[in-house]
């Protein structure tokens, strides 16, 4: 009897967790290199990529690499700050906290951050093609 009750609670717990994970859908916001002159509140703009040492697709590397980027923060179309951010696994928490300060409240629960495009073996990325893609949990 005790085993069947325990099994029942495990089964119910599994379904409850599965439902809550499905409810959290990830949405994305892209931060590119364009300044919108008439935007109100905070606006994030990718000013430049200082360094990109990520391991290109199709190549075997010892480490994954990292990207250093300068991101500009504007408030009501006025420059507030230029921040140099290092996109690497060791800096993920600090970067999420930094972005959460400037994103709208509905976008502050950040899940992922990517610098795109990802390098490919033998192809140089034009500096104007870079952007940041921030994935956040959609709040219902």
């Amino acid at each position: 009897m005790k085993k069947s009750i325990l099994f029942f609670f495990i089964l119910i717990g599994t379904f409850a967790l599965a439902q809550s994970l499905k409810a959290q859908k990830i949405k994305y916001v892209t931060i590119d290199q364009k300044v919108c002159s008439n935007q109100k509140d905070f606006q994030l703009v990718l000013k430049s990529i200082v360094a990109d040492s990520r391991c290109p697709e199709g190549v075997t590397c010892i480490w994954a690499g990292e990207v250093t980027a300068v991101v500009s923060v504007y408030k009501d179309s006025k420059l507030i700050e230029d921040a140099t951010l290092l996109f690497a696994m060791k800096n993920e928490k600090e970067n999420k906290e930094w972005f959460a300060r400037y994103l709208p409240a509905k976008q502050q629960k950040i899940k992922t951050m990517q610098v795109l495009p990802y390098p490919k073996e033998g192809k140089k990325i034009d500096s104007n093609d870079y952007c940041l893609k921030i994935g956040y949990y959609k709040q219902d």
Side-chain angles (χ1 to χ4, degrees):
M1 180 69 176
K2 289 181 183 179
K3 287 183 181 181
S4 58
I5 291 174
L6 179 62
F7 176 74
F8 176 74
F9 282 117
I10 290 173
L11 187 64
I12 295 298
T14 302
F15 285 119
L17 288 175
Q19 294 299 320
S20 65
L21 291 176
K22 274 188 177 179
Q24 291 189 332
K25 294 183 180 175
I26 297 178
K27 297 282 239 170
Y28 295 93
V29 62
T30 301
I31 299 168
D32 54 24
Q33 299 178 42
K34 296 177 186 112
V35 178
C36 182
S37 60
N38 59 358
Q39 183 169 334
K40 299 259 184 204
D41 210 14
F42 289 112
Q43 179 184 11
L44 298 172
V45 176
L46 177 61
K47 186 172 183 178
S48 65
I49 298 296
V50 178
D52 186 352
S53 65
R54 294 175 293 175
C55 183
E57 291 177 0
V59 176
T60 303
C61 299
I62 296 172
W63 72 304
E66 57 194 29
V67 177
T68 304
V70 177
V71 179
S72 299
V73 181
Y74 292 85
K75 180 161 180 156
D76 300 328
S77 300
K78 293 179 184 167
L79 180 65
I80 302 296
E81 171 185 8
D82 277 337
T84 302
L85 302 175
L86 177 66
F87 290 89
M89 289 302 293
K90 64 184 176 186
N91 296 62
E92 187 173 15
K93 183 180 178 194
E94 295 95 29
N95 289 348
K96 285 180 180 180
E97 290 170 357
W98 187 87
F99 279 105
R101 281 189 280 173
Y102 300 111
L103 290 172
K106 66 180 182 178
Q107 297 175 350
Q108 291 179 354
K109 201 170 179 184
I110 298 170
K111 169 73 175 154
T112 62
M113 295 176 295
Q114 296 176 293
V115 178
L116 297 175
Y118 199 85
K120 294 184 177 163
E121 182 181 13
K123 293 186 179 180
K124 183 170 175 20
I125 300 172
D126 186 285
S127 61
N128 294 324
D129 292 339
Y130 281 105
C131 70
L132 302 175
K133 187 174 180 182
I134 309 293
Y136 61 93
Y137 289 114
K138 180 182 174 190
Q139 298 175 4
D140 296 326

